[in-house]
Amino acid sequence: MANAVLLVLTNPVAGQEREYNDWYDNTHLREVCALPGFTGARRYRLADGEYPQKYMALYDIVADDPKQALAGLTKTAGSGGFNMSPALDMKTIGMALFEQITDYKK
């Protein structure tokens, strides 16, 4: 099994931050983590500095092939399998899959 993290950067539509966070925390995280290979998620808000996206989600993936898990997510999204929110600014989404190469714990 390989460990990976899917990094997703997003923004809410202007004036819909509350709706966006409610949807992301109470709907979208559960839908993605119900897919094969996705084992958990964490969300972050930009605390300092300037960056095009204000929010980041990290999805944990444990799978024989993390790229297949990502393909499942893409297929589900493309077929309308997620309850998407109009509060998500679709124009600002950035996404990248990172495969783990080191596991250091103090």
Side-chain angles (χ1 to χ4, degrees):
M1 288 285 183
N3 292 330
V5 174
L6 176 64
L7 167 79
V8 181
L9 301 167
T10 57
N11 285 317
V13 170
Q16 296 188 28
E17 197 154 354
R18 185 187 59 75
E19 295 88 344
Y20 161 86
N21 283 311
D22 181 63
W23 163 78
Y24 219 119
D25 290 342
N26 297 308
T27 301
H28 194 60
L29 293 178
R30 286 182 182 89
E31 289 181 333
V32 172
C33 289
L35 296 173
F38 288 83
T39 61
R42 295 166 308 288
R43 290 187 65 227
Y44 300 86
R45 179 178 42 240
L46 185 65
D48 192 22
E50 303 252 343
Y51 202 77
Q53 290 93 351
K54 184 175 178 180
Y55 288 92
M56 175 179 69
L58 296 175
Y59 294 94
D60 299 316
I61 300 172
V62 178
D64 289 331
D65 183 357
K67 291 177 187 173
Q68 274 190 320
L70 178 58
L73 180 142
T74 303
K75 181 178 178 182
T76 301
S79 67
F82 290 134
N83 293 303
M84 298 306 288
S85 171
L88 172 65
D89 185 350
M90 297 294 287
K91 298 178 300 236
T92 65
I93 296 174
M95 188 166 50
L97 180 66
F98 291 85
E99 293 179 324
Q100 182 175 330
I101 58 171
T102 304
D103 185 17
Y104 173 82
K105 292 187 172 86
K106 182 176 175 181

